Amino acid sequence: MENQHVKCLIIGGGPAGYTAAIYASRAALEPVLYEGNEPGGQLTTTTVIENFPGFPGGVDANQLMNGMREQAVKLGADIRRGVVTEVDLGSRPFAFTVDGEKRISADAVIIATGATARYLGLPSEQKFKGMGVSACATCDGFFYRKKDVAVVGGGDTACEEATYLAGLCRKVYMIVRRDALRASEAMQQRVRNTANIEILWNCNTREVLGDANGVTGVSVIRKDGEVFDIAVDGFFVAIGHHPQSDLFAKWIDTDENGYIVTNGRDSRTNIEGVFAAGDVQDPHYRQAINAAASGCRAALDAEKYLKR
Ligand code: NDP
């Protein structure tokens, strides 16, 4: 099978990958980037981005991602549709298979495969995605100012999202499936001290309710069998994220949740020549601007490594 060799391979077409491609192109690393299953990344599941600096009127998420992509291409990046399906980071150059057939080898690789928010898996949740159902309060909370919303989950993310939303919204329901929160004590205390958060203990979501304009409520079932509806305009799912690191787990160090461990302030992993950027190595901030910044760092680190 024919093998193509490249200096710098970037895996992932989100803000981290595209930004890495912009910097790597300008550094003459001739990057090849494979976009994966979701070109544009997680942002493309939302609508308007109001907190990406430089856009006082907000920017359409797809437009923002297309802009990053186009900028990378204009600077010389080779951006390709395709999913990296096999990886060998035990050999040099590193070896990859794309879409199960095409072989690529690379001197340096930047992993920017992102993370995916976990959803409950209800058809109604899927139906209202982007129409009231969201997995990111920082991204979408602003649209629910002075309205009532629900947050599902009882971990640190759910508590953080609920307290953030409580500052914007009239009322926040937390739908918690047990009689306890999983979150750290400090986060639990913040929730307890926020007057407009009400926790619905021992409750699960039966269905997200809505009409042509979006979410109107949630049908909830308590452990004792009681079924009731709450009226909300926003439904935030905060039951965890899944970093897309499985493909690399054999070689690359990850934390207990699967996030790639990088070397403190820079993007180096435990394997020399392999760098990671964006949400696949960031369990904490998960914002496009941070992903873009870490893509920049990864490209600069790769440049330094390749020119050594
Ligand atoms: P977690 O896995 O910690 O919590 C997930 C929560 O969602 C749990 O309450 C869990 O319930 C609930 N849940 C899971 N599946 C379902 C379901 N199908 N239906 C209803 N509820 C469900 O995820 P997080 O994203 O909150 O946190 C991930 C990691 O990131 C943690 O280590 C956390 O500490 C860390 N983090 C730290 C922050 C900070 O320090 N400021 C901020 C955000 C995250 P149950 O408890 O019953 O399993």
Side-chain angles (χ1 to χ4, degrees):
M1 213 185 310
E2 195 194 342
N3 180 69
Q4 185 191 9
H5 182 74
V6 302
K7 273 194 256 187
C8 176
L9 181 72
I10 300 169
I11 308 175
Y18 292 149
T19 306
I22 289 170
Y23 274 79
S25 300
R26 295 190 81 242
L29 305 186
E30 297 161 21
V32 168
L33 181 153
Y34 280 97
E35 291 183 303
N37 279 323
E38 194 178 33
Q42 282 182 86
L43 267 198
T44 58
T45 63
T46 70
T47 49
V48 176
I49 314 286
E50 290 188 330
N51 53 7
F52 201 93
F55 299 93
V59 58
D60 176 81
N62 283 293
Q63 192 186 329
L64 179 66
M65 295 320 301
N66 286 337
M68 287 190 196
R69 184 184 196 282
E70 218 175 286
Q71 192 172 350
V73 169
K74 199 168 161 201
L75 290 166
D78 183 349
I79 297 189
R80 303 175 181 176
R81 286 286 159 94
V83 177
V84 173
T85 44
E86 280 171 59
V87 171
D88 180 0
L89 301 177
S91 61
R92 304 255 167 181
F94 305 121
F96 306 88
T97 308
V98 179
D99 293 333
E101 50 183 31
K102 187 174 167 54
R103 310 271 304 156
I104 297 261
S105 61
D107 297 323
V109 59
I110 296 172
I111 302 170
T113 43
T116 46
R118 289 184 54 221
Y119 284 88
L120 297 170
L122 300 169
S124 54
E125 172 192 55
Q126 184 67 28
K127 182 173 163 193
F128 293 112
K129 241 188 220 176
M131 289 176 67
V133 171
S134 166
C136 177
T138 326
C139 318
D140 299 327
F142 195 64
F143 303 116
Y144 302 96
R145 263 172 310 166
K146 298 194 168 56
K147 295 183 172 173
D148 294 352
V149 297
V151 176
V152 184
D156 278 319
T157 303
C159 290
E160 212 165 69
E161 304 238 316
T163 45
Y164 174 79
L165 289 164
L168 296 168
C169 303
R170 196 175 59 174
K171 174 152 191 170
V172 180
Y173 294 97
M174 284 184 77
I175 303 174
V176 177
R177 67 178 174 182
R178 290 188 290 132
D179 59 359
L181 296 172
R182 179 183 289 273
S184 57
E185 185 47 39
M187 285 307 302
Q188 294 198 29
Q189 224 165 51
R190 277 181 66 188
V191 166
R192 279 198 293 268
N193 292 338
T194 307
N196 60 338
I197 298 178
E198 180 183 340
I199 301 183
L200 304 175
W201 298 108
N202 295 311
C203 284
N204 273 303
T205 305
R206 283 177 77 227
E207 285 302 340
V208 181
L209 310 171
D211 57 25
N213 296 319
V215 170
T216 57
V218 187
S219 168
V220 178
I221 180 161
R222 213 192 306 272
K223 245 187 200 149
D224 60 12
E226 187 197 351
V227 174
F228 58 97
D229 292 352
I230 52 172
V232 294
D233 293 294
F235 181 78
F236 290 85
V237 188
I239 60 169
H241 281 75
H242 181 69
Q244 311 216 71
S245 61
D246 297 356
L247 197 58
F248 314 98
K250 188 171 158 195
W251 292 276
I252 300 291
D253 289 348
T254 57
D255 71 10
E256 67 278 11
N257 295 314
Y259 287 91
I260 291 179
V261 176
T262 51
N263 181 37
R265 288 173 67 86
D266 66 46
S267 66
R268 284 178 293 166
T269 66
N270 57 304
I271 295 187
E272 231 194 339
V274 180
F275 307 89
D279 283 11
V280 72
Q281 52 85 60
D282 176 9
H284 193 72
Y285 296 106
R286 299 198 287 253
Q287 297 297 300
I289 189 75
N290 283 297
S294 70
C296 157
R297 284 206 299 271
L300 295 178
D301 292 340
E303 179 189 9
K304 200 165 147 196
Y305 168 76
L306 288 170
K307 292 196 170 157
R308 218 174 40 192

